[in-house]
Amino acid sequence: MKLSSWIFFTCISFSALAQQTPNAIQRAQQRTFTVATIPQPGEVLTLQQAIAQSIEKNYQIQINRSQEDIARNNFTKGNAGYLPVLTFNGTSNGGIQNFRQTFIDNIRPPQEARGIFNRTSNLGVNLNYTVFNGYARSTLYNQLAQLVKIGTVNTRANVEATVASIATSYYDVVRQLQRLIAFSQALDISRERLELARANYEVGTRSKVDFLSAQVDYNTDSAALISQEQALRNAKTLLNSQLIRDPQAEFAVRDTIIVRPTLQLESLQQSLSTNNPLLAAAVLNRTIADLNVRLANAAQLPLVSATTGYNYQFQDNQGGFGVATGRTGALTYNITATIPIFNGYNLKRQIQNARVNTLIAQNQESNQRLQLQLALVQTYQAYQTSIRLLTLEVQNNQLANQNVDIAYDRYRIGNSTFVEFRDVQRNAIDAQTRLIEAEFNAKAAEIELLRLSSTITQELGQ
């Protein structure tokens, strides 16, 4: 009993040891880098750093901010016509004369003079003020305020679009890096298979076809890895250009793609209706169209303007005729009322066009709302589909990796052909690639949902 028990437990121990010893495929998988460990040149660039750099340097955002500054500078009472206009006028006319005069009555002797200087100067200050213009200036002042708001929401829209673009490009770099790691692991497995095929061929247990096929598959995986390295460089170049820096600048990423599966359509729709800057701009444009109707109607009402001024004139006449010197000061005023009666129905046409523009603005607002809601629903459906696919691909990837382990052991002991093993290996590569793509697609849909709901700067720009 003791001897049989010892033999039993010894066999169990050797069996457990054999199970713990990794095969060639497991060793290749263990050697494979992860996103956190793969060597990358350059300093680590986080998503928050990339977003901050893009918002600071993006040319379109700078243009929008400058346009916003212009709209804010235009928003003044003086630009709306509330303040008077004060002008100063000054003129001075003079000349040097030579004359010789004789008189008809012959009583006065002839007169002759040379180098006579005559001068007349006028100085004046005038004040012009619009007393009433059919409430047009209050409407214009309100319109200028709306233009400031439009500038603000346009800037916010470009900031949010930039954040979404940067986040998508950043995670594309992570995706391409993950694909590089997957292809690197596939190449390691092909290398292990090539070494096994070479050893078997040299000892005569496998044919040369096996060895050559392993070499071809190894070269194929090497070419795929080289192509993926180029894809990674392209993704980094694109992100560098969006950050307004040297396209060839090296940087490293350490993030992984983590998708939040908890976004709810109802809250996203509510946030879109309340906060989306594109929708807010459409609402403001409709408000401006309504104000243009009021401006057109104001042209039918009387225009009352007042002008006052003080003018000072002095003369200096050295010729000796008339006034030799004179000084005159005068305070003047003028009140003018203009009442439009008929101008070829142009006022009526302008009012009709303004009302049509109001209908256009209303339709544009409704269309913008519809398009944004449609984009949100479609993106949310894609998001949900990506979440389901991601869950499925995680399971497929685990099963495919286990299948590769089994297939390699079968191939090693001669129970399967190289064709069967290669098919299993391809399935594993495809499963891992689909998993990476599912992660990226779900993350891209999540980013777009955050942009449409106008919560992206709070979620990603921290």
Side-chain angles (χ1 to χ4, degrees), residues 377-396:
V377 171
Q378 290 179 332
T379 305
Y380 189 78
Q381 291 173 348
Y383 165 77
Q384 287 185 314
T385 301
S386 298
I387 293 295
R388 291 195 296 268
L389 288 175
L390 179 58
T391 303
L392 181 63
E393 294 301 341
V394 168
Q395 299 175 356
N396 286 340

Side-chain angles (χ1 to χ4, degrees), residues 194-205:
L194 176 61
E195 293 174 357
L196 177 61
R198 179 186 290 110
N200 290 335
Y201 170 66
E202 290 175 352
V203 299
T205 58

Side-chain angles (χ1 to χ4, degrees), residues 237-348:
T237 299
L238 175 60
L239 182 58
N240 279 329
S241 66
Q242 292 176 313
L243 299 180
I244 319 299
R245 63 181 190 177
D246 183 6
Q248 295 182 342
E250 293 290 352
F251 64 91
V253 293
R254 300 298 185 205
D255 291 345
T256 55
I257 301 178
I258 300 176
V259 183
R260 291 182 296 177
T262 56
L263 296 180
Q264 299 297 321
L265 181 60
E266 291 76 11
S267 60
L268 293 171
Q269 288 176 326
Q270 182 178 1
S271 181
L272 183 150
S273 300
T274 306
N275 301 319
N276 186 277
L278 298 178
L279 184 57
V283 173
L284 291 171
N285 284 327
R286 190 193 66 180
T287 302
I288 290 178
D290 292 337
L291 293 173
N292 284 332
V293 174
R294 293 179 57 184
L295 284 175
N297 286 324
Q300 298 182 105
L301 300 178
L303 172 64
V304 181
S305 60
T307 302
T308 185
Y310 181 80
N311 295 299
Y312 179 74
Q313 182 185 73
F314 60 90
Q315 297 175 325
D316 186 3
N317 184 5
Q318 297 180 2
F321 303 101
V323 178
T325 60
R327 304 290 185 269
T328 303
L331 178 65
T332 61
Y333 71 90
N334 180 41
I335 298 176
T336 303
T338 303
I339 301 175
I341 298 177
F342 178 76
N343 69 341
Y345 301 108
N346 284 322
L347 282 178
K348 181 179 180 181

Side-chain angles (χ1 to χ4, degrees), residues 25-98:
I25 301 301
Q26 292 170 339
R27 289 196 304 270
Q29 293 171 343
Q30 291 171 359
R31 287 198 306 268
T32 303
F33 292 107
T34 64
V35 175
T37 61
I38 187 171
Q40 299 181 69
E43 297 182 356
V44 176
L45 177 68
T46 66
L47 176 59
Q48 285 68 29
Q49 290 173 339
I51 290 174
Q53 291 180 24
S54 65
I55 292 177
E56 178 184 359
K57 298 180 180 180
N58 184 271
Y59 292 128
Q60 187 58 51
I61 293 177
Q62 293 181 10
I63 292 172
N64 287 124
R65 286 174 174 168
S66 297
Q67 292 172 339
E68 186 180 349
D69 290 338
I70 292 174
R72 191 172 288 107
N73 292 335
N74 289 335
F75 179 45
T76 63
K77 288 185 175 295
N79 193 26
Y82 273 104
L83 302 180
V85 177
L86 181 65
T87 59
F88 170 79
N89 300 312
T91 61
S92 181
N93 301 315
I96 299 176
Q97 298 178 344
N98 297 325

Side-chain angles (χ1 to χ4, degrees), residues 359-426:
L359 294 176
I360 293 174
Q362 290 176 353
N363 290 331
Q364 288 175 337
E365 178 192 347
S366 300
N367 182 64
Q368 184 70 273
R369 190 184 303 275
L370 177 63
Q371 295 301 321
L372 288 172
Q373 290 175 347
L374 174 62
L376 183 69
V377 171
Q378 290 179 332
T379 305
Y380 189 78
Q381 291 173 348
Y383 165 77
Q384 287 185 314
T385 301
S386 298
I387 293 295
R388 291 195 296 268
L389 288 175
L390 179 58
T391 303
L392 181 63
E393 294 301 341
V394 168
Q395 299 175 356
N396 286 340
N397 185 59
Q398 294 173 350
L399 295 174
N401 287 334
Q402 294 176 9
N403 201 19
V404 170
D405 293 340
I406 297 172
Y408 182 82
D409 288 335
R410 286 172 52 82
Y411 173 73
R412 180 175 55 83
I413 63 178
N415 286 342
S416 67
T417 65
F418 67 88
V419 175
E420 294 173 339
F421 175 76
R422 184 61 177 175
D423 288 340
V424 172
Q425 186 185 15
R426 278 204 194 96

Side-chain angles (χ1 to χ4, degrees), residues 108-137:
R108 288 174 291 175
Q111 293 185 357
E112 184 176 356
R114 293 182 179 277
I116 301 301
F117 176 70
N118 296 320
R119 179 180 62 183
T120 301
S121 299
N122 291 280
L123 301 176
V125 178
N126 295 314
L127 182 69
N128 298 315
Y129 182 67
T130 301
V131 179
F132 179 76
N133 64 348
Y135 307 105
R137 58 187 166 194

